[in-house]
Amino acid sequence: MIVIFPYAIALYMFESYIGVVALLLLGIPFLTMTVVMKMYNNSEQINMDLKKAGVIGHQLADRLEASEIFDLFIVEVAKLFKVEYAYIIDYRDGFQQFMRIYENGQLESRNIPSVSYEKGTAGRVILTGESFIYNEKRDWENLATGNLPIDTESIMATPIARNNKTEGVLVLASKKKYAFAKHQLKILDILSTYFAVSIEKAGYMQKVIAKSERCGLTRLYNYRYLDESLEKHIQEIKEGKLEQLSLIMMDIDHFKSINDQYGHQSGNDILVQLADILREEIAAEGMVARYGGEEFVVLLRNYSKELAMLLAEKLRKRIETHEFLIETDLANERQQQIIHITMSIGVSSAPEDSDEGMSLIRNADRALYIGAKQAGRNKVAAYSK
């Protein structure tokens, strides 16, 4: 305005004194200047939006949890484009499922029923694989599925693709008509690519983390994860966030003789089947880990020693009566065989027995060997000071 206003005043004065000729003398330069300034302003806006998109891309790259990436992406994109409504829609098995809903400045947890993949504005994106802008309601109301707020006018939608395959749709909606510019559609495409790459990376990282936390044979948690979890639980007890913690340690009786008689692969078969039993019995009650070799540990939050003993006895009986199917390696011909095993079990609790993680393990181990193994095996024993 500072640049153009003097031209407008001069044009007015010249037109008053010399007439229509003033339009040629100043009008054409005035219009040229206006066009140039508009182009410059649009260029600056595009650069600003690209810079903000880059910042969002870096923020997404720093996140390792898929849920965090979903939340960050939809909130930041809604802020960037100044919209009241934003939706991330998953496309899977022929249906659209709303994964994230952002309305009027906050994330919503309400459920929106799934719709067929070809329905609505998102359906058009899925069918064509292209992005769209609708400037007012009459442009898209024939596609409406009834899931957008009634005051929606402008819509911008773009596919979320991975490996050239559409896996979802991002829909932005505004209460204003003509709320979106064409260059914003390009920026939205870039942001959707950032999002898809970040989700893929998060999935890969979760697989790597899970692999580092799990026993390769049994798929139970490994010693490393057990040690970290135990320390966290002990810290919770010290801070008063957790009242009790019980630890069950189990060891297969005469496991070496099983390997010697039937072969090490038969021993592995038993370990895998035993892990399945422990997973089934413990379920959400606690955490099961392979401590090493034929030893297993169960961590039980807010379990007293008495409750842990009852659970341990239930496990002992279940394992004692279970028929383990193995395939012998050491016979002349490979053949399937059913065998039975027993387990000796030790139990200790915090803070009753100790308020240190390693001490809790040592106490359960002591109960296992002195109270169960030396007492004849196939028993449950509690640690006592």
Side-chain angles (χ1 to χ4, degrees), residues 45-64:
Q45 186 62 50
I46 291 172
N47 289 334
M48 288 175 60
D49 287 346
L50 284 171
K51 185 177 180 180
K52 291 177 182 178
V55 171
I56 295 173
H58 285 298
Q59 291 176 332
L60 293 172
D62 290 338
R63 300 298 192 277
L64 298 179

Side-chain angles (χ1 to χ4, degrees), residues 85-87 89 98 103 110 112 121-122 137 140 144-155 171-173:
Y85 313 116
Y87 308 92
I89 301 171
F98 283 74
E103 295 180 342
R110 63 189 176 88
I112 296 180
T121 54
K137 182 177 287 188
W140 56 266
T145 59
N147 291 326
L148 292 176
I150 194 171
D151 57 357
T152 301
E153 285 288 345
S154 301
I155 293 177
V171 176
L172 303 182

Side-chain angles (χ1 to χ4, degrees), residues 315-326:
L315 289 172
R316 186 196 66 77
K317 290 180 179 178
R318 168 81 188 273
I319 294 163
E320 180 184 32
T321 58
H322 184 78
E323 295 181 343
F324 288 85
L325 181 64
I326 64 170

